[in-house]
Amino acid sequence: MTIPESTAAAGAGPDVSRIPDPHRPGVLARLRDRRVSGWLFLLPLIAFNLFVVLVPSTFSVWYSFTDWTGISSKAKFIGLENYRNLFRDPEFVQGLEHNVLWTLFFLIVPMAMGLFGAYALSRIRRFRLLFRTLYFIPYIVASVVNASIWRSILDPQNGLGDLLHINPLGDQHLALWSVEFVNNWAWWGFLVVVFLAAMQGVNPSLYEAATMDGAGATRQFFAVTLPAIRPTFAFLGLMTIIWSFLAFDYVYILTQGGPAGSTDLLSTVAYRNAFSNLQGGYASATGIVMALISGVVVTVYLVIRKTREWET
């Protein structure tokens, strides 16, 4: 073989860095890698979420420190004034109290109904799909339709209100419970379906062992079923708390926060301040407080999940 004169003159061999490594995967091979291709498919979704979530969130944080009206392009920085006023505002405090009551109700009543309904369905073989479908239908119906139907049913002149001589949505002592009842009617079927799916994944040998030990249905539920579906139970509890602080549609459609603020939640207070009172900055501060509450709940859940090793 003849060595090029220039190379020979330099006293060196061919440039090794330009020789392709046969063991190094090419670009196409790296794109075919599942990890790389997975990230490539996720990139548009991540970019879209950053645009529709991060950008408005950043603006909300900024406006919460201003006197922005919600319609003007001008906003004056006022520091923590909105946050100081929040906890002196009786509407905000009342809305926060109602949100706590709302959360406790949905952590107890629908969760208990969902567990009982799912466990009852898991014990039968016939018509299970029929009952599961019937329970789930209210959840997939639009909230405005559900609320309108129940508004007619509870009507104090032509509905149950007339029959029972009460005004469920017009009485300050009954209104919040009535709205919770209607929302729960549409919600608990979803919990039944999720709990039932979790229960169907429980190892049948655990029930057989419990039966051999003489455990009845109730003891099997508390000793076998509940521990086995604990991660699902905790996750739904977490989401129930978060969704409870975001509740808006049923309250707004049925009562709009009335009568006399007896059904006001933080969301309806923020909506009224933003679009009726033209206090966009103040409403943004309310939204930030709601987000912080949800953040604290999620953090506590993640810590508990990690310490209890629920992943395994």
Side-chain angles (χ1 to χ4, degrees):
M1 183 176 68
T2 304
I3 300 175
E5 187 177 346
S6 58
T7 304
D15 188 355
V16 180
S17 62
R18 295 188 177 183
I19 300 177
D21 183 356
H23 301 292
R24 184 178 179 182
V27 175
L28 290 178
R30 277 181 283 176
L31 289 177
R32 291 193 190 101
D33 187 287
R34 287 188 175 182
R35 291 170 297 181
V36 176
S37 59
W39 278 108
L40 288 177
F41 278 110
L42 282 175
L43 274 179
L45 185 62
I46 293 173
F48 183 74
N49 277 341
L50 286 177
F51 179 73
V52 299
V53 175
L54 188 61
V55 173
S57 300
T58 305
F59 276 105
S60 293
V61 172
W62 159 246
Y63 282 130
S64 71
F65 295 104
T66 69
D67 63 350
W68 185 50
T69 62
I71 56 175
S72 172
S73 59
K74 298 180 180 177
K76 179 183 175 184
F77 181 75
I78 58 173
L80 296 174
E81 188 65 24
N82 285 330
Y83 291 94
R84 281 195 289 266
N85 291 335
L86 275 181
F87 293 95
R88 295 197 292 256
D89 183 352
E91 288 189 356
F92 175 84
V93 174
Q94 182 176 249
L96 183 59
E97 292 173 353
H98 290 164
N99 262 116
V100 172
L101 291 175
W102 185 283
T103 303
L104 291 175
F105 176 86
F106 278 88
L107 277 176
I108 297 172
V109 179
M111 293 286 279
M113 292 174 64
L115 275 174
F116 176 78
Y119 189 64
L121 286 180
S122 70
R123 311 288 290 185
I124 64 174
R125 293 291 179 266
R126 300 183 64 184
F127 306 118
R128 178 188 295 180
L129 180 59
L130 173 64
F131 284 116
R132 190 165 52 183
T133 304
L134 291 176
Y135 292 154
F136 197 68
I137 284 177
Y139 179 73
I140 62 175
V141 176
S143 56
V144 65
V145 176
N146 281 332
S148 299
I149 291 173
W150 275 102
R151 194 171 187 170
S152 299
I153 293 174
L154 299 175
D155 190 276
Q157 295 181 345
N158 302 308
L160 282 177
D162 182 38
L163 187 65
L164 301 174
H165 302 292
I166 57 175
N167 188 354
L169 297 175
D171 189 318
Q172 293 184 31
H173 303 290
L174 298 175
L176 184 62
W177 301 107
S178 301
V179 177
E180 289 174 341
F181 170 81
V182 174
N183 198 346
N184 177 47
W185 177 80
W187 169 242
W188 80 284
F190 170 76
L191 298 180
V192 169
V193 173
V194 177
F195 279 135
L196 181 61
M199 289 177 186
Q200 289 175 331
V202 179
N203 190 342
S205 64
L206 296 176
Y207 291 109
E208 294 172 4
T211 303
M212 293 177 66
D213 289 340
T218 304
R219 189 176 173 189
Q220 288 184 21
F221 175 76
F222 287 103
V224 177
T225 305
L226 270 185
I229 66 168
R230 184 175 52 192
T232 302
F233 183 81
F235 176 74
L236 287 178
L238 165 74
M239 297 311 298
T240 297
I241 296 173
I242 294 174
W243 288 329
S244 294
F245 275 88
L246 300 178
F248 175 80
D249 48 358
Y250 281 94
V251 174
Y252 191 77
I253 296 168
L254 289 171
T255 63
Q256 297 189 351
S262 59
T263 59
D264 253 339
L265 303 177
L266 290 180
S267 57
T268 56
V269 172
Y271 180 86
R272 190 163 54 246
N273 285 328
F275 299 104
S276 298
N277 302 335
L278 299 182
Q279 295 177 309
Y282 190 63
S284 297
T286 307
I288 297 301
V289 171
M290 294 166 64
L292 289 176
I293 293 173
S294 297
V296 170
V297 172
V298 172
T299 303
V300 171
Y301 168 76
L302 292 177
V303 170
I304 294 175
R305 181 177 175 178
K306 185 175 181 180
T307 53
R308 301 293 178 86
E309 298 181 347
W310 285 350
E311 295 91 341
T312 58

